[in-house]
Amino acid sequence: MASLAEKRMEDAEDHPIDQHTDQAARPEELRLLEALLFASAEPIDQATLAKRMPDGVDVKAALAQLQAEYAPRGVNLVRVANKWTFRTAGDLSWLMTRESTETRRLSRAAIEVLAIIAYHQPVTRAEIEEIRGVITSKGTLDVLLETGWIRPRGRRKTPGRPLTFGTTEAFLSQFSLEALSDLPGLEELKGTGLLDSRLPSGFSVPTPSDDVVLREDEDPLEAGDNLELLLAPAAEPEGGSES
């Protein structure tokens, strides 16, 4: 019995014209995009891809066509944080699982702080504490900074000029979000049971925005800023603890 590889070779010999026609009909820009995306170790934004393509190529349309081509394959073309990359198809992700992988669980405090930053950014440490109702330890922010999911954005134009925090592209990539606006809203949170259906009147979930441009009430970070000092906790009352 002929092997599968031999059978495919025989089929190719029987239909040489069809294969040549299919190859010729496929736009050259799709091959160029494939090469660029496969060769890149990081996701690439559309503007960068456009600079590497011939003049007159509709990169947006070509990406959409390439995404459709790869949709049923073992790797898919996906957009993460407004950048494009190839990733293993979701239903095949188990193939990449390693038994040695250790999942690092965030504390409840870290999850709360991360959620507040995601929905309220740019937000200061004092504003986080006001929302949570408890003091936020330096260690909690350290953990989130180490994961690369949050970053210092700038300084608030208020007395003391506290740091403002926001999320990163790594945060979007970790949670498979194309943009921060894809975070669940009030009704979705209710539907999943993450919020009590009997909320006080006037309760709302802010519309998150990860605009990298500093706002009017923010100053840029300074070159000599030292995060270790900037994140040092304020004096806490005796017996005070984070919940």
Side-chain angles (χ1 to χ4, degrees):
M1 179 181 292
S3 68
L4 179 59
E6 292 172 339
K7 180 171 177 55
R8 286 182 175 176
M9 291 179 65
E10 291 174 0
D11 291 342
E13 292 174 355
D14 292 340
H15 305 284
I17 297 178
D18 290 343
Q19 286 193 344
H20 177 74
T21 301
D22 290 344
Q23 183 66 24
R26 191 170 188 260
E28 179 68 11
E29 55 262 31
L30 297 189
R31 296 183 66 238
L32 296 176
L33 285 174
E34 282 176 325
L36 289 170
L37 291 165
F38 271 118
S40 176
E42 302 292 337
I44 312 177
D45 60 70
Q46 185 173 315
T48 300
L49 290 170
K51 293 178 182 178
R52 305 292 299 274
M53 302 295 288
D55 293 339
V57 172
D58 187 340
V59 177
K60 182 177 181 180
L63 284 167
Q65 184 175 346
L66 194 62
Q67 186 177 42
E69 280 190 11
Y70 275 86
R73 299 186 182 182
V75 290
N76 298 152
L77 178 60
V78 299
R79 187 165 64 173
V80 175
N82 291 320
K83 295 184 179 181
W84 294 88
T85 186
F86 281 109
R87 286 194 173 177
T88 303
D91 61 325
L92 299 178
S93 59
W94 59 271
L95 289 169
M96 310 303 293
T97 302
R98 297 177 57 185
E99 295 299 328
S100 60
T101 300
E102 180 180 350
T103 302
R104 184 177 182 181
R105 297 181 65 85
L106 292 179
S107 66
R108 177 179 175 180
I111 293 173
E112 289 178 359
V113 171
L114 180 61
I116 290 171
I117 293 174
Y119 279 94
H120 293 266
Q121 61 186 297
V123 62
T124 67
R125 177 174 168 179
E127 291 164 347
I128 293 171
E129 292 175 348
E130 182 179 357
I131 293 170
R132 293 188 65 220
V134 294
I135 293 174
T136 298
S137 73
K138 173 181 176 293
T140 299
L141 288 170
D142 282 344
V143 168
L144 295 176
L145 287 166
E146 287 172 8
T147 64
W149 295 349
I150 68 168
R151 66 180 179 89
R153 284 174 47 100
R155 291 176 175 276
R156 184 81 78 214
K157 294 179 181 178
T158 57
R161 301 180 66 240
L163 281 177
T164 57
F165 293 94
T167 53
T168 65
E169 288 186 4
F171 170 80
L172 297 176
S173 179
Q174 174 67 29
F175 295 97
S176 299
L177 299 171
E178 183 176 322
L180 205 63
S181 56
D182 291 335
L183 284 170
L186 179 60
E187 295 306 319
E188 291 174 284
L189 291 171
K190 283 183 181 179
T192 56
L194 295 175
L195 283 180
D196 194 323
S197 59
R198 298 168 296 177
L199 293 171
S201 60
F203 181 89
S204 63
V205 172
T207 301
S209 170
D210 53 0
D211 188 352
V212 296
V213 178
L214 294 179
R215 299 188 180 181
E216 292 183 0
D217 63 348
E218 290 179 287
D219 281 328
L221 294 173
E222 299 172 358
D225 281 339
N226 185 321
L227 268 185
E228 288 296 324
L229 296 177
L230 292 172
L231 293 177
E236 299 180 8
E238 292 187 9
S241 62
E242 181 184 0
S243 60

